[in-house]
Amino acid sequence: MMKISTMGHACMVLTGEEERPILATDPWLLGSCYWRSWWMVNPPAEEQVRRVEAAPFIYITHEHPDHLHPPSLRRLKPGARTILLPAFLRMKMDAYLREQGFDVRILPPRQWVPLEDGVSVMSLPQWSNDSVLLVDTPSAFIVNLNDAKPLGGLLDDIARLRTEIGKPCIVLRSHSPAGPFFNYFEENERIPCREPEDYVRMTQGVCAHLRADLFLPFASQVVYRRSDSEWANGYRVGFDLLQAGWGIATRLCPPFSTVDLETLSLSAEPPAEWRGAFHDGQRALVAREEARNGEAALTDEDIAALKAVLARQRWLLAAVLPGGVAIESGGRRLLYAPWSGRLRETEKGGDCVIQVPAAALKDSLASGNFGDLCIGMFVPATLRDRALAGRVNLFWMLMVLADYGYADGILSRLRWLVWVWRVERRRPIARPG
């Protein structure tokens, strides 16, 4: 009897007879991420962690720390398991995992890879260095979309494959905001780009398109604990909001469910037994991180690194935000003017002013993950005009692409565009052999 269980945040575990683990995904198993901002609503119990530890295959969808979580990987330790990765054009996590001693296997795009008799997986890389994982089992077809937002053509391909396979379809997908969309201001007034209900409608649209039998809430099981991100808890899309707006044939499952893939019967951890209570040890960690931000100061090296990050997308930024981008951090206000390429300290100017805690900014520049700052929910942006919100969204997307190395010159951009065409183009996805 095969089952899937969801736990933690974006961790799915496929088990076979006698609860034997086969595959786990994105194991964030303990602690926090995004500079102590994100904490799990219901961290895995010790027995669940041991189940992940026993899985011979672990698939990591992408490099964000709520999916590639170093403290959890240290808990797993290298051993009798293989880490499966998407075939991105450029990434850092393959080298990092090998340095940690893990056996790493990069899955070829759009090809079925058998894990054992009757179980195959397919990795579908996306333009944004995210990926979809398809899992075919003897009795069910699983579509793990996690944070990926595939273009319509790929969804059509998956829907066609779902029809050809003819098995019950289970969809897992993030359904709550995680980014800058709700953290924009004009004259001290918050101006959300979307409504929480929009995420319910988007989730239903995907499930209806794929004619999913079950939807499992996934990759959205977090609570925000920092004093500068607690506001975001009011915009979380939890099960209650999903349930209130659900109006399609797909069965909406509770969070942290275990599904029997033969009968589609399920059980779920009751909320009264969730383990996400905020305890003194976590409060101390958050306080320590906030104190670190208060004590940090930007150095000349930090400022040079910030200028280099922004300069990678200079001419695109000139088109998107011609008035420049101001960064407020560590008591300083730095304006990057893309037309001149200058980064200078000034009290005026900029199409937007982005406030970044100093320690987080220094960390992101040192690690080469500047784009991650917009996901932690503690980086507000004040806009010169609310109509610029879409352009600031585009700014963050450009920064993420620069982090991945897709902005290092014309040839790098062209290679990325060719790769995107190859992984996103519509072509039939074959049924498992």
Side-chain angles (χ1 to χ4, degrees), residues 6-11 171-175 203 214-221 237-240 242-243 246 251-257:
T6 59
M7 62 184 71
H9 172 60
C11 187
V171 170
L172 303 91
R173 181 186 188 270
S174 61
H175 52 83
T203 301
L214 273 67
F215 172 73
L216 289 173
F218 197 63
S220 302
Q221 320 310 318
V237 178
F239 183 67
D240 54 345
L242 284 171
Q243 200 170 31
W246 205 255
R251 181 182 176 187
L252 174 63
C253 302
F256 313 116
S257 290

Side-chain angles (χ1 to χ4, degrees), residues 14-28:
L14 173 68
T15 56
E17 296 294 333
E18 300 179 353
E19 305 292 329
R20 174 181 55 84
I22 300 170
L23 168 71
T25 66
D26 293 343
W28 174 17

Side-chain angles (χ1 to χ4, degrees), residues 21-248:
I22 300 170
L23 168 71
T25 66
D26 293 343
W28 174 17
L29 306 173
L30 50 90
S32 63
C33 62
Y34 291 114
W35 294 276
R36 305 292 187 195
S37 178
W38 289 31
W39 297 80
M40 286 179 282
V41 171
N42 183 24
E46 186 62 28
E47 181 276 330
Q48 293 174 315
V49 174
R50 287 197 295 271
R51 200 182 314 162
V52 176
E53 288 180 311
F57 297 101
I58 294 177
Y59 181 80
I60 297 177
T61 55
H62 61 295
E63 294 179 307
H64 285 160
D66 53 320
H67 299 262
L68 176 72
H69 189 247
S72 296
L73 291 168
R74 287 193 290 270
R75 167 67 194 264
L76 293 178
K77 301 175 184 175
R81 67 175 56 84
T82 300
I83 306 289
L84 307 175
L85 299 179
F88 297 136
L89 178 61
R90 288 189 178 183
M91 59 178 162
K92 305 171 187 174
M93 61 180 173
D94 55 338
Y96 168 77
L97 290 164
R98 289 189 175 102
E99 288 171 0
Q100 303 305 308
F102 288 102
D103 177 31
V104 174
R105 179 180 180 186
I106 297 178
L107 299 181
R110 291 181 175 248
Q111 294 183 28
W112 287 105
V113 175
L115 301 185
E116 64 171 53
D117 187 31
V119 178
S120 297
V121 297
M122 177 186 286
S123 173
L124 300 172
Q126 301 291 280
W127 65 272
S128 57
N129 266 36
D130 205 331
S131 68
V132 176
L133 181 70
L134 307 181
V135 185
D136 184 62
T137 74
S139 53
F141 176 55
I142 302 165
V143 181
N144 181 350
L145 293 166
N146 69 90
D147 293 337
K149 305 297 185 286
L151 303 178
L154 180 58
L155 276 180
D156 290 342
D157 287 347
I158 298 173
R160 243 186 328 267
L161 180 62
R162 179 257 187 277
T163 299
E164 292 174 2
I165 289 177
K167 299 171 184 174
C169 176
I170 302 172
V171 170
L172 303 91
R173 181 186 188 270
S174 61
H175 52 83
S176 194
F181 312 113
F182 291 83
N183 213 5
Y184 294 142
F185 292 83
E186 182 188 39
E187 296 180 352
N188 296 318
E189 177 189 358
R190 192 182 297 276
I191 46 173
C193 292
R194 299 173 181 170
E195 297 297 327
E197 291 77 10
D198 293 338
Y199 291 83
V200 180
R201 286 189 285 270
M202 288 187 286
T203 301
Q204 289 188 107
V206 170
C207 289
H209 194 86
L210 298 178
R211 293 186 301 109
D213 294 276
L214 273 67
F215 172 73
L216 289 173
F218 197 63
S220 302
Q221 320 310 318
V222 297
V223 62
Y224 305 100
R225 300 297 196 191
R226 286 171 56 128
S227 60
D228 52 4
S229 66
E230 286 178 324
W231 65 270
N233 290 313
Y235 293 88
R236 289 180 58 244
V237 178
F239 183 67
D240 54 345
L241 192 57
L242 284 171
Q243 200 170 31
W246 205 255
I248 60 174

Side-chain angles (χ1 to χ4, degrees), residues 277-286:
F278 198 36
H279 58 69
D280 289 344
Q282 293 173 342
R283 287 189 178 91
L285 291 171
V286 173

